[in-house]
Amino acid sequence: MTTNSRDILPLIIDGIRERKGRKITVVDLSDIESAAAQRFVICEGTSSQHVAAVADSVREFLLENARIKPFNYDGYTNAQWIVIDYGDTLVHVFLPETRSLYDLEGLWNDAVISDIPDLD
């Protein structure tokens, strides 16, 4: 099954929202040659357990709904920042203070950045 990156974005967002992940931001890097991916999806959880639960939810949601497994993932050891690699899309789940420290949105501020509203 081939799925382009546009097809998985709604599934990623639904997976984040399933476990109440907050402050979802999509960073479109497709026009930046030096970028590691075409797109970042960034969100946050309220604790390390919540960060891990949100990351698990994204992985489970894509597997159950589109039979897509990530190429890799990392960060579960301390769960301050978990990244899930879907090839041209990287999903970053942060603790708020870790997100602020690394400031991926600021680092890639020449990209098209879209905030997805929280549901509640």
Side-chain angles (χ1 to χ4, degrees), residues 28-34 38 110 112:
D28 181 349
L29 301 162
S30 59
D31 290 335
I32 301 174
E33 280 186 38
S34 61
Q38 294 286 306
D110 49 344
V112 177

Side-chain angles (χ1 to χ4, degrees), residues 52-114:
V54 171
D56 285 345
S57 179
V58 170
R59 291 174 41 223
E60 291 164 7
F61 213 84
L62 267 75
L63 186 59
E64 290 171 7
N65 292 285
R67 295 187 179 154
I68 297 172
K69 291 183 181 180
F71 291 104
N72 205 351
Y73 50 87
D74 194 23
Y76 276 91
T77 303
N78 62 16
Q80 294 180 9
W81 174 8
I82 295 175
V83 61
I84 310 166
D85 179 358
Y86 286 103
D88 58 1
T89 301
L90 296 177
V91 181
H92 301 270
V93 187
F94 283 102
L95 283 175
E97 57 273 15
T98 307
R99 181 179 186 171
S100 179
L101 176 68
Y102 288 98
D103 189 22
L104 294 182
E105 294 95 331
L107 182 64
W108 295 100
N109 66 359
D110 49 344
V112 177
I113 298 175
S114 307

Side-chain angles (χ1 to χ4, degrees), residues 17-34:
R17 287 177 167 168
E18 181 77 19
R19 293 274 169 46
K20 307 286 189 227
R22 312 283 294 170
K23 297 186 179 175
I24 303 168
T25 301
V26 177
V27 181
D28 181 349
L29 301 162
S30 59
D31 290 335
I32 301 174
E33 280 186 38
S34 61

